[in-house]
Amino acid sequence: MKLKATIVDETSPDHNSVIVSFEGDKDKKHFEIKCSFNPYVHKMRKWDSWQLTITWDSEIFTDEKTGEKSYFTYLLCDKAVEINSPYGKKDRRIHICSTKMNYLKNFIISKPL
């Protein structure tokens, strides 16, 4: 699904994730998006607005002692298109083609619309 989001925390060269708030969220909650690319390398900065193509993944952990299950849901992003930036127009699109075993992290399109 494609969602519009604003980056609300600085990106880091050490992490392939970004903290965002989604457009239209009345509670303005923050979410961590795990990216198949490094947002810092692609100059995704705080207060930039991006259209993110989001997929879901989940893990189920079972406590060995009690048998109780815990569910964790992850938001994943393989594609991002910049919408707006307070730092000026950059006209960037990021497309990451991935397979289960290999991420192609160098397919970047940087053309004006």
Side-chain angles (χ1 to χ4, degrees), residues 63-102:
D63 187 320
E64 293 178 12
K65 293 180 181 178
T66 65
E68 212 172 295
K69 293 182 180 180
S70 297
Y71 299 86
F72 296 92
T73 303
Y74 301 100
L75 301 176
L76 309 173
C77 177
D78 284 337
K79 180 181 175 184
V81 177
E82 183 182 29
I83 297 171
N84 189 20
S85 174
Y87 309 105
K89 189 85 172 133
K90 294 179 281 252
D91 292 322
R92 284 197 315 273
R93 293 181 177 98
I94 302 170
H95 296 265
I96 305 298
C97 301
S98 63
T99 62
K100 288 185 180 179
M101 300 300 285
N102 184 26

Side-chain angles (χ1 to χ4, degrees), residues 14-97:
D14 302 328
H15 300 291
N16 281 12
S17 64
V18 64
I19 307 300
V20 303
S21 66
F22 291 109
E23 185 178 296
D25 180 12
K26 294 176 185 174
D27 297 328
K28 304 228 183 248
K29 291 185 179 182
H30 295 179
F31 295 89
E32 179 183 20
I33 308 294
K34 296 191 179 285
C35 302
S36 59
F37 54 90
N38 188 315
Y40 182 85
V41 171
H42 295 289
K43 299 184 179 171
M44 295 175 79
R45 296 190 276 183
K46 187 174 183 178
W47 307 125
D48 284 352
S49 294
W50 288 76
Q51 179 178 319
L52 306 174
T53 301
I54 302 291
T55 57
W56 305 77
D57 193 14
S58 67
E59 290 184 56
I60 302 171
F61 293 99
T62 305
D63 187 320
E64 293 178 12
K65 293 180 181 178
T66 65
E68 212 172 295
K69 293 182 180 180
S70 297
Y71 299 86
F72 296 92
T73 303
Y74 301 100
L75 301 176
L76 309 173
C77 177
D78 284 337
K79 180 181 175 184
V81 177
E82 183 182 29
I83 297 171
N84 189 20
S85 174
Y87 309 105
K89 189 85 172 133
K90 294 179 281 252
D91 292 322
R92 284 197 315 273
R93 293 181 177 98
I94 302 170
H95 296 265
I96 305 298
C97 301

